Each structure stands twice: as C-alpha cells, then as structure tokens.
C-alpha cells in the first residue's frame, strides 16, 4: 500500500466487542491510514443486525464499504439481494488459505469474502485422564468407559445438538444439501439416507448402549464437568478454550475417531467469518487494500494473539504450531465440512434439530423414520 494523492474515507462496520479485538482493529486501521493517507470510520454494529442493515442501506448509498466480519450462513441471502461484491480481485496468496475456508465463503462458484477466522468443534481431552487422543473408535469407547464411574464421565457432549454432531452424519456420507461442483442443490437433501440413520443410531448407542452420555446433558454441563476434572473427553469449540485454560486443565485437541463402519472420517461443520465488500461501494480499490491488510500473515498472527481466533492461513498455523488450540482446531477445520451458506439452511435447523433430539431421546427408536419425517418437513418449507 502506498500513499494516495486524494484521500478517501472508508466506512467499515464491525461486530467486534472483545476489548482486545477492537483495539487490534483500531491498530490495523491506523496502520492503513498511515500508509495510504485514507481515513477509516469504524462503526460497531451487532452481528445479528448487520445483514439486514446492509440490505436496507446498500442500494441507497448509505451502507458501509466493508464489513469486518460476516459468517458464511448469510451469504446466500446477501448475494441474492445483490449487495455483495466478488472478492477474488482483492485476494492475494490464495494458495496459503485453508481450502475449507475458501469454500465456505464461495457462493455458486464466486468468492464473496476474504477469510479471516474459522471455527469448528473438536474432541477436547484431559491429558491427565487421557494422555493421548484415541486413534480408533474402539479405543475411544474403551477409554471413555474406563473413565466413567460415579461422578466421573469418560465422554460428554450435547447429543441433541445437530450442529455439534454433524461430524457423525458426514462420516456416513450424509449431507444437508448435495454439493455439485461448488453449487449446493437445495432440492437434494441427504439427511434421510441410510448413512444418516446409521449416524443417529451410533449417537443413540453412546447414551443407551455404551451408557456414556446421560440424558439431559448439555454443552454447558459438559464444559463444567470438564473444567472440574470430572470429564475425560468432551466435544466443544474454540469459544470454550479460554475458560478451560483458566481452569488449569492440561488438554489436547483432536478429531473424534471415525465411527464404526463409516466410509469417511468424522468431519464437523466449519463456520468461517470473512471480510465482505458492499457491491455499491464507491471506493472499492481502497477498501480492497484495507481488507487485504487485515488478512495478511502478519495481521493474522496479531489477531490470534489478541482474541485467540483460529487463523485461516496455513502458513500462520504452522508458525503458531506450538499453540495447541491453533494446531488442534486447525487440523480439524482443514478436514471439516463448510456449513451451507445458502438461505435455505434456515429451514433445515428446526426439523433436523428436533429429529436429532428424538433420535437420542430413548433407546430403540426408528432413526430412519425420524429422519424421513424431518426431511419431509424441510422440503415442504423450502419453496
């Protein structure tokens, strides 16, 4: 970036509320202004308001030039509304970005965001109770049972949470929407396949056959037990690692082992947040330079140090390889499945979550029938 003769003022919306991350963004902004002479007005907007505000304001010329950052689940809606600018022209070092994160921000073959950070769930284990991550499903079950007695639990998770447990579905070849060369077919829903029914049965077994996960177990309860040293293994994401570190637990992070008979490894949903540009911005070149700076290798390192977010740069992950959170979740994210970024995903969550909860609610349920009913509801709600 070099100083321009005519200074421009960019408007940037951000939902960052963490003190350290806000300070980081201000520092990056000051650096950009110092190098280019362009000014940046930072406006804090709640994450759940950003998409609707952009749609309402963009075409009137009242919206931002950039948004830092937006999750991929709103991309379909925003692209359909015509308010997102393709971001390929503003990307450098494409090969350095985790391919999963690029796929997440690509809608119908076009990249609409520069990846900034990613997250997924993973198996987090207490090294005092489980010195090394189990390498197979049989070992996983054996280790979990060995650590289950009285008020101690070998493995805990929220079995009724569809998002947390997508990795089981993907392992057996199930999917939400069929991916055809980068385009999701919302008419082809794969949550009622034989593989999906098998996945839900395996989850049911964790509760009723192996007697590992008690009824009513929630993510918060699992985390609390882990922090007290009462749970050997749980499934959670980077958002809980700060509290786990403060609790003084010596932990490791890995993927859940491949479930029995599954043709593919456990592959959880990956959520990615990226920088997006207003299609109606009149300062696209300047905004693109600002965005590139925020996702540079140097910026990703300092951003991780500020708030602990998982970098999307493969090179940065290697550089931060001694950080167990970055290395652990980084590996899982690379092997994960991007959460669908189409608007129709909004019609999936309710019926699918209800089905998963029913599927693990009691022993001996007909998982095929439960999932068939859920998919029927989803199809009827998708126009």
């Amino acid at each position: 970036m070099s100083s321009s003769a005519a200074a421009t003022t960019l408007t940037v919306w951000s939902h960052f509320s963490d003190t350290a991350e806000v300070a980081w963004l201000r520092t990056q902004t000051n650096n950009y202004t110092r190098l280019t002479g362009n000014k940046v007005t930072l406006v804090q907007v709640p994450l759940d308001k950003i998409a609707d505000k952009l749609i309402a304001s963009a075409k009137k010329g009242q919206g931002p030039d950039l948004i830092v950052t937006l999750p991929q689940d709103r991309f379909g809606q925003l692209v359909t509304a015509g308010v997102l600018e393709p971001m390929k022209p503003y990307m450098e070092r494409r090969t350095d970005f985790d391919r999963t994160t690029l796929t997440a921000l690509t809608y119908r073959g076009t990249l609409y965001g520069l990846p900034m950070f990613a997250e997924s769930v993973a198996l987090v284990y207490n090294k005092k109770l489980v010195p090394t991550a189990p390498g197979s499903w049989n070992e996983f079950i054996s280790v979990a049972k060995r650590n289950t007695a009285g008020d101690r639990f070998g493995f805990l998770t929220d079995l009724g949470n569809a998002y947390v447990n997508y990795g089981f579905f993907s392992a057996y070849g199930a999917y939400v929407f069929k991916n055809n060369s980068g385009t999701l077919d919302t008419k082809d829903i794969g949550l009622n396949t034989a593989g999906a029914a098998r996945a839900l049965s395996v989850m049911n077994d964790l509760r009723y056959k192996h007697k590992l996960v008690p009824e009513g177990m929630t993510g918060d309860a699992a985390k609390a037990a882990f922090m007290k040293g009462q749970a050997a293994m749980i499934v959670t994401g980077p958002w809980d690692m700060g509290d786990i570190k403060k609790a003084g637990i010596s932990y490791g992070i890995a993927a859940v082992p491949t479930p029995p008979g599954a043709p593919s490894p456990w592959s959880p949903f990956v959520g990615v947040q990226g920088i997006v540009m207003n299609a109606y911005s009149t300062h696209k070149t300047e905004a693109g330079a600002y965005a590139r700076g925020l996702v540079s290798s140097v910026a990703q390192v300092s951003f991780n140090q500020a708030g602990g977010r998982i970098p999307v740069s493969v090179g940065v992950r290697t550089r931060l390889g001694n950080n167990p959170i970055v290395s652990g979740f980084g590996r899982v994210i690379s092997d994960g499945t991007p959460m669908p970024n189409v608007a129709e995903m909004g019609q999936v969550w309710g019926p699918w979550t209800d089905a998963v909860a029913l599927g693990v609610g009691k022993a001996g349920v007909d998982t095929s029938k439960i999932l068939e009913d859920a998919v029927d509801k989803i199809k009827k709600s998708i126009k």
Side-chain angles (χ1 to χ4, degrees), residues 113-130:
L114 300 188
M116 196 162 170
F117 62 91
E119 60 187 19
S120 74
V121 297
L123 184 72
V124 181
Y125 57 97
N126 184 329
K127 287 188 172 183
K128 183 177 179 181
L129 304 174
V130 183

Side-chain angles (χ1 to χ4, degrees), residues 280-302:
Y280 290 85
S281 169
T282 56
H283 307 298
K284 292 176 181 175
T285 299
E286 295 85 355
Y290 177 80
R292 280 196 299 271
L294 294 182
V295 299
S296 68
S297 296
V298 173
Q300 284 195 51
V301 171
S302 59

Side-chain angles (χ1 to χ4, degrees), residues 22 32 59 90 107 126 160 171 193 195 202 205 246 275 296 304 327 378:
V22 170
Y32 170 80
K59 295 180 182 180
Y90 309 103
Y107 182 78
N126 184 329
T193 62
V202 167
D205 285 347
K246 290 178 183 176
I275 302 171
S296 68
N304 168 264
S327 59
I378 294 169

